Amino acid sequence: MKKITVSDWNLADEINTKEDVIGIIEAALEENDTELLLSVIGDIARSKGMAQVARELNLNRESLYRSLSQDGNPSFNTIVKVLDNLGFQLSIKQKVLT
């Protein structure tokens, strides 16, 4: 029988371009799931380097990790600052009704 090796998959390892980031955030927003959105923003920050993001924002790295976890509860200000640091800003569009 062939041996199968399983490894942990990490979204942060798959984020390579700005287009990747936009697609991932848009997909999370479409799910209307706050925990998923926070987790995705955390993955994006990890892809850049959470320590670097925290340092640039004058935040504690561990606090930023916790805030952007699925169980986190960051302030809206923190989310906006992290996205800005990553080179993004929030915008809004009308929901497409089906």
Side-chain angles (χ1 to χ4, degrees):
M1 176 177 264
K2 185 176 179 181
K3 187 175 183 178
I4 298 174
T5 303
V6 178
S7 62
D8 290 332
W9 180 78
N10 187 345
L11 178 60
D13 295 336
E14 305 299 322
I15 300 171
N16 301 307
T17 67
K18 298 283 184 184
E19 291 77 18
D20 291 343
V21 172
I22 292 167
I24 291 164
I25 290 176
E26 286 181 344
L29 286 169
E30 288 174 5
E31 294 297 319
N32 290 321
D33 183 337
T34 306
E35 291 176 359
L36 175 62
L37 179 62
L38 292 177
S39 178
V40 163
I41 293 172
D43 289 333
I44 294 165
R46 277 190 294 287
S47 76
K48 179 178 179 182
M50 189 69 80
Q52 178 181 343
V53 172
R55 188 172 40 257
E56 291 171 358
L57 296 176
N58 294 318
L59 298 172
N60 178 283
R61 181 182 59 84
E62 291 81 13
S63 295
L64 190 56
Y65 265 113
R66 278 193 305 276
S67 290
L68 297 177
S69 71
Q70 283 186 332
D71 298 325
N73 190 18
S75 69
F76 186 72
N77 189 46
T78 298
I79 293 170
V80 170
K81 283 182 177 182
V82 169
L83 290 174
D84 180 64
N85 177 270
L86 297 170
F88 297 94
Q89 66 185 26
L90 293 174
S91 65
I92 192 166
K93 63 182 179 181
Q94 185 173 353
K95 183 176 181 179
V96 178
L97 302 175
T98 56

